[in-house]
Amino acid sequence: MGASFISELLSYVEAGGWVMPPLIVLMVVLWFAIGYRFAALQRGTARGARNLLDKTAKRLAAGKPPKSDGVMVRAARKGLRLKGSGVIELRGFLDDAFWEEERDIKRYDVLIKTIVMVAPLLGLLGTVIGMIETFDSLGDMSLYSQSGGIAGGISQALFTTQMGLAVSIPGLIVNGMLNRKQQDMQLELAQMKDILCAEHTDEMAAAGAVPVGG
């Protein structure tokens, strides 16, 4: 059964022509990038920003390690350490500290969008090439004797369009869901910065030194 499946798959790739290998490579790269984004977009907690900061502050004060790892958990620990370090302009330091998390949740987004856009066009190119070859072969009737006439040639030519859409559509749907999650996390990171800066301002004011720029 496995051998027949591989044989059928190879015949499918061969029927699609030279466009099929690049489409397969794009599919592999696409799902690698989606898998990376899915792993990178793990929050590490279901808590909101303020609740997470409170719980993380208690664990840091007790010297306990985090219960889980994720973007929001790492950001909370970094932010609380910075707030407790006595820096004056906390906002700038938070922007620098959160840069790694903000970069990770956006990584490969452009690559996925590019593949989703290019795959159908590459499939269409393969179909156009296949159609040209199909009609060229009608001149000496070789198509009729080899692959069942013009219908067989057109059927083979459409393989690449089918493959391009099969690569693009799932990637478009899944990446749309990941983008929504990314936007939510970006908003939460911004909210976390605002909370930390507000608390820092209050603490500095109570100590008699109001920070410049929050």
Side-chain angles (χ1 to χ4, degrees):
M1 181 177 179
S4 62
F5 173 77
I6 294 175
S7 176
E8 184 177 350
L9 181 62
L10 290 175
S11 64
Y12 181 80
V13 172
E14 184 179 357
W18 65 267
V19 175
M20 292 295 281
L23 281 173
I24 293 173
V25 171
L26 287 179
M27 180 177 65
V28 173
V29 173
L30 172 68
W31 286 102
F32 167 80
I34 287 175
Y36 180 93
R37 292 206 74 204
F38 181 81
L41 286 168
Q42 298 303 307
R43 298 179 77 258
T45 179
R47 301 179 187 276
R50 186 176 296 277
N51 193 3
L52 174 61
L53 286 171
D54 292 341
K55 295 295 182 182
T56 304
K58 292 177 181 178
R59 296 191 69 84
L60 284 174
K64 297 180 180 179
K67 288 184 177 180
S68 59
D69 186 38
V71 172
M72 300 305 298
V73 174
R74 294 196 302 269
R77 293 179 70 85
K78 287 181 179 180
L80 288 167
R81 288 195 182 103
L82 275 174
K83 191 184 76 165
S85 66
V87 297
I88 302 299
E89 297 184 9
L90 181 61
R91 172 70 68 171
F93 285 94
L94 287 175
D95 290 338
D96 292 340
F98 287 8
W99 177 82
E100 184 177 355
E101 280 69 34
E102 291 172 343
R103 178 201 62 188
D104 285 345
I105 64 177
K106 293 186 291 186
R107 180 172 288 177
Y108 295 135
D109 178 43
V110 174
L111 175 63
I112 293 172
K113 290 177 179 176
T114 301
I115 293 176
V116 165
M117 180 180 66
V118 168
L121 298 177
L122 190 58
L124 181 60
L125 173 62
T127 294
V128 171
I129 294 172
M131 294 291 286
I132 292 172
E133 293 176 351
T134 296
F135 286 109
D136 282 346
S137 65
L138 290 177
D140 57 6
M141 302 300 288
S142 61
L143 184 66
Y144 284 92
S145 60
Q146 293 178 7
S147 56
I150 189 171
I154 293 175
S155 175
Q156 290 184 0
L158 290 174
F159 283 166
T160 55
T161 296
Q162 182 185 43
M163 182 66 175
L165 292 174
V167 171
S168 178
I169 293 174
L172 180 65
I173 294 172
V174 175
N175 197 50
M177 297 168 61
L178 293 175
N179 280 339
R180 179 61 182 271
K181 192 172 183 180
Q182 172 191 325
Q183 292 169 4
D184 291 343
M185 293 180 71
Q186 286 174 324
L187 289 174
E188 287 191 85
L189 287 172
Q191 182 184 10
M192 189 176 289
K193 291 178 186 178
D194 292 339
I195 293 171
L196 288 168
C197 288
E199 291 178 351
H200 184 62
T201 300
D202 293 341
E203 291 172 3
M204 296 294 286
V210 179
V212 179

